[in-house]
Every structure is written in structure tokens, then in C-alpha cells.
Amino acid sequence: MNRVAFNIFGFNVYYYSLCILLGVIVAYILITREGKKQGLPKEFISDLIFYTLIIGILGARVYYCVFNLDYYLANPSEILKIYNGGLAIHGGVIAGLIFVYFYTKKKNVSFIKILDIVAPAVIIAQSFGRWGNFFNKEAHGAITSLEHLQSLHIPKFIINGMYINGNYYLPTFYFEFLLDIGLFIILILVRKYVK
């Protein structure tokens, strides 16, 4: 499986990037729509999304670099080369939450209300991002057997994609994808039926 979706003007566009972009677009639509329903000003929501996204990317990069500190201390010029990969969702979420907390305090908007609006969108965006791991053949689980994967009723194309360098691996990205979808549904139902 090729990691590159297509090439444009000499630049490779990777499936992983497309998965992340799709997640961001879906999250933007969901947050904007729910923010409008909740009566929040469009400008507030647009600024919230824009700045949280920027801060989240920076946080994801810092987190990744800190947990690979030996490499980046030896190669400091690589720190800014985000196009070579190296983002950690944990850092993005932490930085994003910190920013949203202070942003809502500054704008005198309920932090909890914003979390209620944003959480389902972030989780569904995360589910799209997990497919990027599939295309990159990364973030998988332990070595396993073909028989074990088949017994889990995993779609065949995923099983085939988990055959890496002569071994089958557990598709942890797929398990997290399913978990994210489940959490998204639960949060939407809670928002709708629990007031």
C-alpha cells in the first residue's frame, strides 16, 4: 500500500494528511453547527477553532519533540521540520484544552459549555486520523496470526494492510476508530437527551 495519495506540483500528498484534513473539516462543521444552535456568535466559534487548531498543532509538535528529546537535541534543525512527521495527539489535546480554558475565560463563555460542543467533534476527527495510521502502517499492535485476525471479523482489506514485513499485526488503529465512533454516538445522545 502506497502512503502517497497523489503528487501535485512535485509535492507528495499523503493519505495521512488527507485523513487529518477530513477530520478537521468534519469537526469544523459540527462545532460551527452546534455553536450556532447554542446561540454563540459565529466570530467567537471561528476564532476558537482557528486558534485552537494552531495551538493544538504546536502542542502536538512540542509533545512529540519532548518525548524524542535525545534525537532533537542532537538534530535541533529538525525541530521545525514538521513536514517530516512528528505530531502527538496527546500534546495537541493538552495544548488545545489549555487554550480553550483561557479563551473562554477571556470571552466570559462557559468552559464546560464549549467542551460539550467541541468534545464530540474532536472524537470524530480523531477517528478519521486513525486511518492515517493504517495508511502509514504505524501505531499498530503486537504481532499476531492471520487466523486470529480473521477470528475477530476484521474486514479483509485491513487484515491485508496489517501484513507488514512478513508479519501480521493487531490493527489497534481500527479498534480505536471503533471506540471513537462509539464515544461520538454516546456524546451526541447524551447531549440530545440529558439536559
Side-chain angles (χ1 to χ4, degrees):
M1 176 183 334
N2 193 343
R3 295 171 50 207
V4 178
F6 56 88
N7 186 288
I8 185 164
F9 305 118
F11 292 97
N12 289 333
V13 177
Y14 294 91
Y15 283 109
Y16 195 99
S17 300
L18 295 176
C19 291
I20 298 294
L21 179 61
L22 184 59
V24 168
I25 291 168
V26 169
Y28 177 84
I29 291 167
L30 292 174
I31 292 168
T32 303
R33 187 170 55 176
E34 187 60 28
K36 186 178 179 182
K37 272 192 209 173
Q38 300 272 348
L40 294 169
K42 186 177 180 179
E43 183 180 311
F44 171 84
I45 292 295
S46 295
D47 287 350
L48 175 77
I49 294 168
F50 177 77
Y51 291 116
T52 304
L53 189 58
I54 299 297
I55 297 296
I57 291 169
L58 291 172
R61 183 61 174 175
V62 168
Y63 190 98
Y64 183 85
C65 290
V66 166
F67 281 90
N68 294 281
L69 196 54
D70 290 341
Y71 174 79
Y72 288 104
L73 287 176
N75 305 283
S77 64
E78 293 290 313
I79 292 173
L80 298 178
K81 295 182 180 176
I82 197 168
Y83 50 83
N84 285 338
L87 297 174
I89 188 67
H90 311 87
V93 170
I94 292 166
L97 277 172
I98 291 168
F99 172 76
V100 168
Y101 176 79
F102 287 107
Y103 184 75
T104 55
K105 290 293 178 197
K106 181 180 177 184
K107 299 291 185 177
N108 201 26
V109 176
S110 167
F111 176 65
I112 299 301
K113 179 178 184 176
I114 296 303
L115 288 184
D116 183 53
I117 291 169
V118 170
V122 170
I123 288 173
I124 202 70
Q126 173 74 355
S127 75
F128 286 104
R130 293 298 50 96
W131 285 98
N133 297 133
F134 173 68
F135 290 112
N136 276 358
K137 295 183 180 256
E138 64 185 7
H140 50 68
I143 293 174
T144 190
S145 66
L146 173 61
E147 294 75 21
H148 181 230
L149 292 176
Q150 290 171 334
S151 74
L152 296 174
H153 305 289
I154 295 169
K156 187 174 181 176
F157 79 95
I158 294 175
I159 293 173
N160 293 340
M162 288 293 95
Y163 188 71
I164 305 166
N165 298 326
N167 292 302
Y168 285 98
Y169 290 86
L170 285 171
T172 50
F173 86 91
Y174 180 64
F175 302 144
E176 186 178 342
F177 164 76
L178 295 175
L179 178 64
D180 290 339
I181 296 297
L183 286 172
F184 173 76
I185 292 168
I186 289 167
L187 288 174
I188 293 300
L189 291 174
V190 166
R191 178 193 287 161
K192 185 173 182 178
Y193 295 110
V194 178
K195 301 286 182 183

